[in-house]
Amino acid sequence: MQLQIASEVASLEAVIVHSPGPEIEAMTPGTAAELLYNDIIPLSVVQTHHHELKCFLELVTTVYELRELASRGLESSDQLRTALCRATAESEPRQFAPDFEALMELPAPVLVDTLINGFPLEPDSLTSYLSGRRYRRPPLPNLYFMRDSAAVVRDSLVSSAMAYPVRAPEAFLSRAAVHGLNGSSQVLYDSQQHPLEGGDILVLKHDLLVLGVSERSSSEAIDGL
């Protein structure tokens, strides 16, 4: 499918969603703030509301699931797979970080599911036991907010630089999903130096963007875009 967004108020032809799952229940009162939640939300409530939205979307457009597309994208692109595994392995302190080679050996669907649900930390040392950590890399309970991790401008992808490191893998998964859908999309922006999130990008028409400067999108990033 060819990417092409010249107006976000025109007819919707396709949409990528992520149906929330076990990653929501992985939160505890002690980790909710770290994962950017103010409170614990019952999974059944989130799933019910999201399912209603998805059912409505299916009446008016083509709906794709991120898990399936991201798995397809990682299977077809060694470059994306390597970048995702390296970023994941380097995102945590060395004593807790997932092993790069072990990540690379995982089948693409398993890698996607494990990244979404979190990499459990086995207390196999005194350091890991005393850390109080449950995960080598925490789960992604914000992933169903799909508009944050990417945006499409004309025929090009803007791969977000997430403002909060805990959400960084979301941008890689969204990019892999677009690759799984499109096969070869031009990347308009993919810098991790300055934060830029898709929610601050609005395509009004073919020659007009509205861009927001916020705590999640810096002026430097907008200059780069």
Side-chain angles (χ1 to χ4, degrees), residues 10-187:
S11 298
L12 184 63
E13 295 185 9
V15 64
I16 301 174
V17 303
H18 167 64
S19 294
E23 72 276 8
I24 302 295
E25 287 191 318
M27 286 189 297
T28 66
T31 62
E34 173 192 357
L35 298 174
L36 310 179
Y37 277 75
N38 295 324
D39 201 356
I40 301 300
I41 302 176
L43 175 60
S44 59
V45 174
V46 178
Q47 287 182 323
T48 298
H49 291 176
H50 193 275
H51 180 69
E52 291 174 355
L53 172 63
K54 183 179 177 181
C55 287
F56 168 74
L57 289 172
E58 288 174 337
L59 295 175
V60 297
T61 191
T62 302
V63 178
Y64 297 94
E65 277 284 351
L66 176 130
R67 285 178 188 266
E68 299 169 7
L69 290 182
S71 298
R72 189 190 309 169
L74 292 176
E75 286 172 344
S76 62
S77 173
D78 291 337
Q79 181 181 2
L80 276 177
R81 185 185 181 91
T82 301
L84 172 60
C85 291
R86 178 159 288 121
T88 302
E90 295 176 353
S91 64
E92 300 296 325
R94 185 182 299 274
Q95 66 269 37
F96 302 122
D99 180 71
F100 171 74
E101 297 297 336
L103 294 175
M104 289 292 291
E105 292 177 359
L106 293 175
V110 177
L111 176 60
V112 170
D113 282 345
T114 305
L115 192 59
I116 293 173
N117 297 330
F119 292 87
L121 174 63
E122 299 296 335
D124 54 2
S125 68
L126 179 61
T127 299
S128 62
Y129 177 77
L130 294 176
S131 72
R133 295 172 62 120
R134 297 174 57 211
Y135 295 94
R136 292 188 178 276
R137 189 70 177 74
L140 303 175
N142 296 286
L143 184 59
Y144 67 99
F145 298 111
M146 289 290 299
R147 194 61 176 82
D148 293 339
S149 59
V152 176
V153 177
R154 296 182 180 172
D155 61 351
S156 300
L157 174 70
V158 175
S159 185
S160 295
M162 308 302 284
Y164 295 97
V166 73
R167 298 191 66 185
E170 297 178 35
F172 283 97
L173 288 174
S174 291
R175 184 168 175 179
V178 171
H179 187 84
L181 176 68
N182 177 259
S184 58
S185 57
Q186 176 179 331
V187 179

Side-chain angles (χ1 to χ4, degrees), residues 2-8 151-158 182 185-186 188 201 203-209:
Q2 180 64 38
L3 295 183
Q4 186 57 248
I5 294 184
S7 170
E8 292 189 53
V152 176
V153 177
R154 296 182 180 172
D155 61 351
S156 300
L157 174 70
V158 175
N182 177 259
S185 57
Q186 176 179 331
L188 187 63
I201 301 172
V203 183
L204 286 189
K205 56 182 183 176
H206 75 282
D207 61 352
L208 180 62
L209 297 180

